[in-house]
Amino acid sequence: MTTPLNTHLNFPAPDDFYEALIALHRDLTPAQSELVNAKLILLLANHIGDPTVLAAAMAAARARIDVTAQSPDQN
Amino acid sequence: MSADPVDYQTLVFPYARSSDQQASKPVSHPVVIAGAGPVGLSAAIDLAQAGHPVLLLDDDDRLSTGSRAICFAKRTLEIADRLGVGQRFVDKGVTWNTGKVFLRDDLLYSFDLLPERGHRRPAFINLQQYYVEGYLLDRARELPNLEIRWKNRVVDVKSQSDGALIDIVTPDGTYQLHCDWLIAADGGRSAIRRALGFESKGQTFRDRFLIADVRMVADFPAERWFWFDPPFHPKQSVLLHQQPDDIWRIDFQLGWDADPEVEKQPDRVIPRVQALLGKDAKFEVEWVSVYTFGCQRMEKFRHGRVLFVGDSAHGVSPFGARGANSGVQDADNLAWKLSLVLAGKARENLLDSFDVERVQAAEENILNSTRSTDFITPKTAVSRAFRDATLELARKWPFARRLVNSGRLSLPTMYAHSPLNTPDTASFAGTMGPGAPAADAPIRINTAPDWFLTQCGNEFVLVTFLDVGSLSLLTPAALASLASARVPVRLLNVVPPGTRPHAALIEDADGYLAQRFDARPGTTYLLRPDQHVAARWRAFDVDAVLAALDRALGQAERTP
Ligand SMILES: Cc1cc2nc3c(=O)[nH]c(=O)nc-3n(C[C@H](O)[C@H](O)[C@H](O)COP(=O)(O)OP(=O)(O)OC[C@H]3O[C@@H](n4cnc5c(N)ncnc54)[C@H](O)[C@@H]3O)c2cc1C
């Protein structure tokens, strides 16, 4: 199956990226971290732009998550 | 803007007994409209202008209590022009095109809703609903074939194959009427909808808004100002709008836990307004109300001989000003179709297209309104996080500004998939495709400046774009075929700017018309009586025009 989302390794230095991602959240409260994550997603999503890539990424991110396993935070 | 000599808010319309109330069997009327709100009044005027006898019933004897709707969109003004009240709306209303969005103390961005020149009407005016209804009513009363009965409450309806039987309660007791067609414009709590066992389904948003009209002399500009999390009303949103007569509309978001009764009290309202205006500001609170908003609609707007328009058919939150504006467009869409059916010039199935087109419009309005409400009132922690992140990013980056949603303001629906459209056979640039509402542009008729849309509407209009020196694309034979069409078609011949004036020609004063319609010499548009595009071609062909006309009348195949 072809997907518009590039899921092959695309980082020149994967460990550096991962370390930077964790470091981004250093000393932040959970609420601050949530804000930073949200901004990061918005910035990257706009950079990508292509709705088919974004939809594929969203679907991949949500795949195999069991919605019934936890109580919904809706309300 | 001076105060209007008529105080529309205090007008009371006397109940008068009708001879129908004494009749031994129900008197029959061709068209009964229930509800003299902005939508029922618009439909009544439209049908009466077309010459039909119209009976309008209202359960009350006054205009809208409090301002309610204040933002009236360009398309509504264009419809109001066709109904003869547009200029009064604009003269009295506060014209605005600019919106500003603030985060806390800072201006995030501003937007211009009408960045183009060459339109008669602005993007929006603000005008209290009681003026809108009052001006429509003044116009309605000029029409001798339009009868209004106040204090006539529709309490029951029985739908029949040839119309409906209506039970009406008056101060003198109950009576019954028959009508061939019933237009239900009786608002969000429609008694007709209930009587026929239909529902308007959707969702209610878990939030409350304090809507205050405040009288004061202030020097805020005539713009729409929307704050997220302002220091004077932390964690919530506030919307400020100017109305005529030094009245200002302020919407304060309160959250779901607010107690609506308590929040309406002056000792709660005044400090909130002072927080915005400053401690020393002088103002009077004219009207306050606390609202919870929702989005809902009926599944279908046509049920045989009963047609639902406005809030009875659908409801939206006010962010985006899509309630009254879309309701008036329902009336605009319905009136010409019903008029042709009443006149025996179109079959009843033309009214199915009212359902298709206005359900599509309602879906669009509900989608936009729901998205705005989700942004203004995030439902979950994570949606709040994305909302706040978007606002923070919007300080710096334009892309995020485009995600900020303080209300997507009412635009007319493009009926792109309407069964009445004839699909394009040539390619065109721009937005004037089949189903689109015709754009306006400055024109000249015999050197006198005018506007294109004043020449369109009420009838089918065939617009042909001519070359310099040409007087018509139509041969005498083509003219004769058009004249024999089932319905009248008015011809508009458009010539380029600077062409020698001629009474039978419309000069495209600044070239905007050809630009907006992507027209070249030979380009031909067929416009419906509601000014929407039915079909267009690169060259005139009378058979194609007649076929498109049939299609726009709900007859896909031409019947000889
Ligand atoms: C705070 C607020 C702000 C708003 N702002 C905007 C805005 O800026 N722009 C916008 O476009 N919309 C706005 N709206 C929405 C707008 O007010 C409504 O969409 C609009 O009034 C709908 O018009 P209508 O004619 O369908 O119904 P209504 O205005 O509700 O009129 C219905 C009429 O029917 C009569 N009636 C009711 N029942 C019966 C019966 N059984 N028999 C006979 N008559 C009956 C009523 O007396 C009334 O006259 C706002 C609404 C609110 C509450």
Side-chain angles (χ1 to χ4, degrees):
Chain A
M1 195 185 74
T2 60
T3 158
L5 183 69
N6 181 4
T7 49
H8 298 292
L9 181 64
N10 198 28
F11 299 115
D15 293 343
D16 291 355
F17 160 72
Y18 197 83
E19 186 194 342
L21 183 64
I22 300 305
L24 178 66
H25 290 273
R26 192 173 299 132
D27 305 327
L28 300 188
T29 65
Q32 288 169 326
S33 272
E34 194 178 18
L35 183 64
V36 168
N37 275 340
K39 284 187 182 175
L40 188 62
I41 291 170
L42 291 166
L43 285 160
L44 295 175
N46 178 63
H47 178 89
I48 293 162
D50 182 344
T52 59
V53 176
L54 293 172
M58 287 187 206
R62 211 190 140 112
R64 284 185 301 280
I65 289 185
D66 183 359
V67 206
T68 56
Q70 76 215 84
S71 66
D73 64 347
Q74 187 98 15
N75 240 337
Chain B
M1 274 158 287
S2 61
D4 205 279
V6 179
D7 183 356
Y8 284 93
Q9 264 190 293
T10 56
L11 290 182
V12 179
F13 311 104
Y15 160 76
R17 198 180 161 87
S18 151
S19 60
D20 287 0
Q21 292 169 245
Q22 269 122 289
S24 54
K25 71 188 234 311
V27 174
S28 193
H29 292 259
V31 185
V32 169
I33 301 177
V39 179
L41 281 163
S42 298
I45 295 168
D46 218 344
L47 285 163
Q49 282 189 163
H52 304 287
V54 176
L55 175 60
L56 178 58
L57 307 173
D58 197 89
D59 64 344
D60 200 12
D61 55 3
R62 312 187 52 148
L63 301 172
S64 170
T65 320
S67 317
R68 296 178 66 204
I70 58 164
C71 300
F72 290 88
K74 178 170 186 283
R75 181 66 195 145
T76 303
L77 299 175
E78 289 163 358
I79 295 167
D81 279 332
R82 210 169 49 68
L83 303 179
V85 288
Q87 195 57 44
R88 272 192 96 185
F89 283 6
V90 174
D91 286 345
K92 181 69 186 176
V94 173
T95 290
W96 63 278
N97 290 311
T98 304
K100 286 190 173 143
V101 178
F102 300 85
L103 174 59
R104 294 184 205 108
D105 272 329
D106 306 322
L107 173 66
L108 277 186
Y109 65 98
S110 58
F111 52 87
D112 184 353
L113 291 166
L114 193 62
E116 261 183 11
R117 297 188 43 228
H119 292 265
R120 181 183 192 192
R121 296 307 179 199
F124 272 93
I125 62 161
N126 287 350
L127 184 63
Q128 292 87 323
Q129 186 160 337
Y130 47 80
Y131 281 125
V132 168
E133 294 181 9
Y135 295 167
L136 286 168
L137 180 60
D138 289 342
R139 171 70 185 130
R141 286 166 145 180
E142 293 173 359
L143 299 162
N145 48 332
L146 198 178
E147 181 190 349
I148 307 179
R149 294 185 194 164
W150 304 106
K151 288 273 175 202
N152 272 242
R153 178 193 298 270
V154 175
V155 288
D156 201 10
V157 173
K158 278 175 208 70
S159 170
Q160 303 174 324
S161 60
D162 69 341
L165 259 189
I166 314 168
D167 287 333
I168 299 159
V169 171
T170 73
D172 287 329
T174 305
Y175 73 108
Q176 229 179 19
L177 280 183
H178 178 270
C179 61
D180 299 338
W181 297 93
L182 174 61
I183 300 182
D186 54 342
R189 283 192 277 267
S190 172
I192 299 174
R193 196 178 63 215
R194 198 169 348 105
L196 295 177
F198 300 120
E199 275 183 87
S200 191
K201 287 192 206 150
Q203 57 170 325
T204 304
F205 301 107
R206 293 166 62 89
D207 203 343
R208 297 186 205 281
F209 291 84
L210 173 74
I211 314 283
D213 277 354
V214 168
R215 186 185 292 274
M216 63 172 176
V217 180
D219 51 10
F220 295 104
E223 297 173 346
R224 177 188 196 262
W225 283 16
F226 193 103
W227 287 267
F228 289 99
D229 192 15
F232 55 85
H233 191 60
K235 300 280 171 234
Q236 307 283 13
S237 67
V238 175
L239 174 60
L240 177 74
H241 261 299
Q242 187 184 0
Q243 302 171 62
D245 305 339
D246 293 319
I247 309 273
W248 297 76
R249 163 70 53 88
I250 315 172
D251 296 6
F252 294 97
Q253 186 181 23
L254 297 177
W256 182 237
D257 297 330
D259 180 335
E261 285 314 309
V262 172
E263 292 297 345
K264 265 187 253 181
Q265 302 310 314
D267 62 330
R268 293 296 280 256
V269 176
I270 289 168
R272 292 202 191 281
V273 178
Q274 278 174 333
L276 163 62
L277 299 174
K279 267 249 167 308
D280 306 319
K282 298 226 179 332
F283 62 87
E284 283 162 60
V285 178
E286 283 265 314
W287 174 73
V288 278
S289 198
V290 174
Y291 284 94
T292 293
F293 297 116
C295 281
Q296 63 282 127
R297 73 170 174 90
M298 293 176 72
E299 203 178 302
K300 294 188 83 50
F301 301 166
R302 176 180 180 203
H303 290 276
R305 294 283 186 111
V306 186
L307 302 144
F308 290 85
V309 289
D311 277 13
S312 75
H314 47 73
V316 289
S317 82
F319 301 101
R322 289 167 180 267
N325 283 305
S326 69
V328 169
Q329 287 162 46
D330 291 345
D332 175 59
N333 188 288
L334 174 61
W336 69 270
K337 296 174 182 172
L338 185 54
S339 175
L340 289 173
V341 171
L342 283 164
K345 290 184 174 158
R347 297 205 201 108
E348 280 184 29
N349 74 339
L350 176 58
L351 294 166
D352 290 335
S353 71
F354 156 73
D355 187 83
V356 170
E357 293 179 344
R358 295 314 297 172
V359 164
Q360 184 212 329
E363 280 178 344
E364 191 175 300
N365 288 317
I366 288 172
L367 178 69
N368 277 290
S369 174
T370 304
R371 286 173 170 178
S372 302
T373 313
D374 284 344
F375 196 88
I376 294 164
T377 305
K379 289 195 187 61
T380 61
V382 71
S383 59
R384 177 168 287 272
F386 276 117
R387 201 281 298 269
D388 292 346
T390 303
L391 288 169
E392 287 297 334
L393 293 174
R395 287 178 189 280
K396 196 161 172 192
W397 286 296
F399 87 85
R401 285 172 207 157
R402 189 51 192 77
L403 299 178
V404 172
N405 192 335
S406 73
R408 297 279 180 248
L409 287 148
S410 174
L411 288 171
T413 298
M414 151 117 189
Y415 308 131
H417 306 294
S418 170
L420 306 189
N421 295 348
T422 296
D424 281 342
T425 48
S427 80
F428 285 84
T431 56
M432 282 300 108
D440 204 1
I443 56 167
R444 272 190 290 266
I445 304 175
N446 247 344
T447 71
D450 208 325
W451 296 94
F452 178 63
L453 288 183
T454 63
Q455 303 302 304
C456 306
N458 300 325
E459 286 178 302
F460 280 90
V461 170
L462 191 70
V463 187
T464 55
F465 288 85
L466 309 182
D467 219 340
V468 187
S470 162
L471 283 182
S472 175
L473 293 174
L474 280 71
T475 59
L479 273 173
S481 319
L482 263 189
S484 69
R486 198 184 309 271
V487 295
V489 179
R490 203 163 60 238
L491 299 177
L492 290 184
N493 296 309
V494 179
V495 289
T499 314
R500 197 159 49 86
H502 184 294
L505 300 176
I506 283 183
E507 184 192 343
D508 184 6
D510 304 316
Y512 284 131
L513 201 57
Q515 195 184 313
R516 287 177 188 157
F517 285 77
D518 185 29
R520 309 196 277 262
T523 298
T524 299
Y525 276 76
L526 179 65
L527 303 181
R528 316 186 331 186
D530 60 3
Q531 303 174 336
H532 282 254
V533 175
R536 57 181 179 172
W537 305 269
R538 282 296 178 198
F540 175 81
D541 168 357
V542 72
D543 290 328
V545 172
L546 290 172
L549 192 61
D550 276 343
R551 191 183 259 273
L553 291 169
Q555 286 163 285
E557 292 308 314
R558 233 193 129 195
T559 43

